[in-house]
Amino acid sequence: MEKITQITDVIAFHGEGPAWHASWGGLRIVDMLAGDILSIGADGSVDRLPTGSAIAAFVRPRTGGGYVVGVERGIALADSPFDRPTLSPQLWSDPNVRMNEGGVDPSGRLYAGSMPYDKTPGGAKLYRIGADGGIDVVLDSVTTSNGIDFTPDGLFAYYNDTATGGTSVFDVDASGNLINRRLFHDGDGGRPDGLCVDSQGNLWCAMNRVGKLRLYSPQAEILGQWELPVHGVTAVTLGGEDLRDVFITTSRETADEPGAGAIFHMRADVSGQPLRAYSG
């Protein structure tokens, strides 16, 4: 694999949620605490799309076109990749809780997790939103809901509640429900944040505040670890035409260092999975 390199200027205060999809021209991230979606050109140029919310937590394509974005207290939907989104009804009213991260399962259901602004232990939830907008609470006591993704065969799901310091794995039953939660890896004292699963079922995990990107096998063996020049490593995705471009977002929120808030990149030996679209 190549060395990690910085491929943009500092473009975000709290860069998060990288997502690569052809419908919007390649790579998007969110500048979470600014409430903006950032589309990144091949030349490193940036187009900002305000969501109308104080928070933009994640962005995913929709199967019918457009996108879904996590906003402060729920989600917002757009019918075109470049339209401003329309806010959906709030999922909660508590002003101390905001949306933080999300993902999509193989059937197109959206998983969206929250966190308390004051980081009250257990003060947040992980929700599942169906194509019809129906909402289920998957986990009712989380602290900093972060990355979630599914294996290519759909049999397992990985999830980070960053406050636990470890990564969880679930079995996925025949109805698509997450069951049998257990510890996948304890993170060696790091702070596991955004994650993604590649086409061979390996887990890529951003380790926030310790400035690392880690790659695990399905058996939790550490296959690789890379240090970045900034501590605030927030999330990772695989994209590009061959799905072997590794894009890593960073943040200045906890450490305002040179390069923090830029996007970093390297090439992977194994391709990622195509980005799943929300069916709603």
Side-chain angles (χ1 to χ4, degrees):
M1 294 187 189
E2 297 179 354
K3 180 181 177 182
I4 291 178
T5 58
Q6 182 177 331
I7 59 168
T8 70
D9 294 331
V10 172
I11 59 174
F13 177 76
H14 186 62
E16 264 280 12
W20 195 97
H21 199 258
S23 70
W24 53 52
L27 181 66
R28 278 185 167 174
I29 72 168
V30 294
D31 192 353
M32 182 180 284
L33 303 180
D36 293 342
I37 299 168
L38 278 56
S39 297
I40 317 302
D43 60 355
S45 60
V46 178
D47 288 325
R48 282 186 175 265
L49 178 59
T51 64
S53 169
I55 297 292
F58 58 83
V59 61
R60 290 293 187 276
R62 298 170 67 192
T63 54
Y67 64 89
V68 56
V69 57
V71 293
E72 188 168 27
R73 297 178 197 163
I75 63 171
L77 301 172
D79 294 329
S80 160
F82 308 104
D83 286 346
R84 282 198 176 194
T86 300
L87 297 176
S88 297
Q90 292 185 352
L91 296 183
W92 62 85
S93 59
D94 185 349
N96 185 46
V97 177
R98 69 168 175 84
M99 190 70 80
N100 196 55
E101 182 60 285
V104 177
D105 74 8
S107 67
R109 296 177 296 187
L110 178 68
Y111 282 75
S114 59
M115 66 170 285
Y117 279 106
D118 64 4
K119 300 182 182 178
T120 300
K125 294 177 171 56
L126 176 65
Y127 300 88
R128 185 176 64 200
I129 306 172
D132 61 356
I135 300 163
D136 296 311
V137 175
V138 178
L139 298 173
D140 63 3
S141 179
V142 300
T143 303
T144 309
S145 189
N146 253 311
I148 184 167
D149 200 7
F150 294 76
T151 55
D153 59 13
L155 296 179
F156 302 97
Y158 295 100
Y159 172 69
N160 284 334
D161 178 353
T162 297
T164 69
T167 296
S168 297
V169 61
F170 295 83
D171 297 322
V172 182
D173 70 15
S175 299
N177 297 310
L178 307 189
I179 59 173
N180 300 331
R181 183 180 183 178
R182 56 203 180 274
L183 182 67
F184 174 72
H185 198 283
D186 64 9
D188 294 325
R191 291 178 59 82
D193 202 322
L195 60 77
C196 69
V197 180
D198 68 25
S199 61
Q200 292 188 2
N202 303 308
L203 176 68
W204 296 77
C205 186
M207 306 298 287
N208 196 3
R209 301 200 189 182
V210 296
K212 295 178 181 179
L213 174 68
R214 201 176 255 189
L215 175 62
Y216 298 101
S217 75
Q219 292 75 40
E221 174 190 4
I222 299 174
L223 301 177
Q225 181 168 279
W226 298 266
E227 292 194 11
L228 280 79
V230 300
H231 285 83
V233 179
T234 55
V236 57
T237 196
L238 277 73
E241 294 297 331
D242 62 0
L243 299 177
R244 289 179 51 218
D245 287 308
V246 183
F247 298 107
I248 308 148
T249 50
T250 63
S251 170
R252 290 184 280 147
E253 183 184 18
T254 57
D256 192 359
E257 306 163 309
I263 297 173
F264 291 78
H265 170 269
M266 70 176 184
R267 293 279 289 168
D269 294 333
V270 174
S271 63
Q273 301 182 72
L275 189 66
R276 296 186 183 93
Y278 172 46
S279 58

